[in-house]
Amino acid sequence: MGAIRDRERYLCHQCGEVNPTVRNRGRIDLMNRLCETCWNILANEMAIADGATAAPRPDPDPDDVSWIEPPNCPKCGSLVRKYPTSYDRWVDLATVELPAKDVPEPFRWRLTRLPDPFHVVTDIVAVRVRGVDPLPGDPVVPAHRMMCPYPDES
């Protein structure tokens, strides 16, 4: 009986294969139990659809005590905020919040605080606003590519 339960623990919900890399995926534990390969395929597809294709922030040097400034957009030079998404990819967001009525639906993001088991905020992730539309006056954080004058240049 125990062997059957162990098999279910390592069963990928996407491909149906038994794999030791199977675990709950995503920063908000709402994703299925997926193997590493299926997770990367799914997360990359979501990132492309959402425009979350930014490079991750570099890890700060623990010995460096200087202030960390937000990075600049390499195309337009304005400040951006880099945040991890709920599916472990990164997105560049604008530095201001705007009412939802002023931001087209594909560019709406919200910042969510993730507490640890002791209810201390340990991380902030960006979550795409979808499903239920926010009220017109609700604040959302627009993706930087909406505000960038050069979004498609490389």
Side-chain angles (χ1 to χ4, degrees), residues 67-108:
W67 185 257
I68 299 174
E69 294 292 329
N72 292 350
C73 172
K75 299 172 189 168
C76 69
S78 61
L79 296 176
V80 296
R81 296 190 290 179
K82 286 186 182 286
Y83 281 101
T85 64
S86 56
Y87 46 89
D88 293 328
R89 300 301 183 262
W90 291 77
V91 63
D92 287 335
L93 299 178
T95 57
V96 296
E97 287 186 343
L98 296 174
K101 66 180 179 178
D102 296 336
V103 180
E105 188 269 330
F107 301 104
R108 294 177 184 162

Side-chain angles (χ1 to χ4, degrees), residues 61-68:
D61 181 10
D63 295 331
D64 187 7
V65 293
S66 63
W67 185 257
I68 299 174

Side-chain angles (χ1 to χ4, degrees), residues 115-122:
D116 68 0
F118 301 105
H119 303 290
V120 175
V121 174
T122 57

Side-chain angles (χ1 to χ4, degrees), residues 32-74:
N32 286 334
R33 295 181 62 81
L34 300 173
C35 67
E36 189 73 26
T37 303
C38 292
W39 168 248
N40 282 327
I41 291 169
L42 176 66
N44 289 340
E45 287 174 357
M46 291 172 63
I48 290 169
D50 292 344
T53 56
R57 282 189 307 236
D59 289 333
D61 181 10
D63 295 331
D64 187 7
V65 293
S66 63
W67 185 257
I68 299 174
E69 294 292 329
N72 292 350
C73 172

Side-chain angles (χ1 to χ4, degrees), residues 98-101 134-140:
L98 296 174
K101 66 180 179 178
L135 294 173
D138 285 351
V140 295

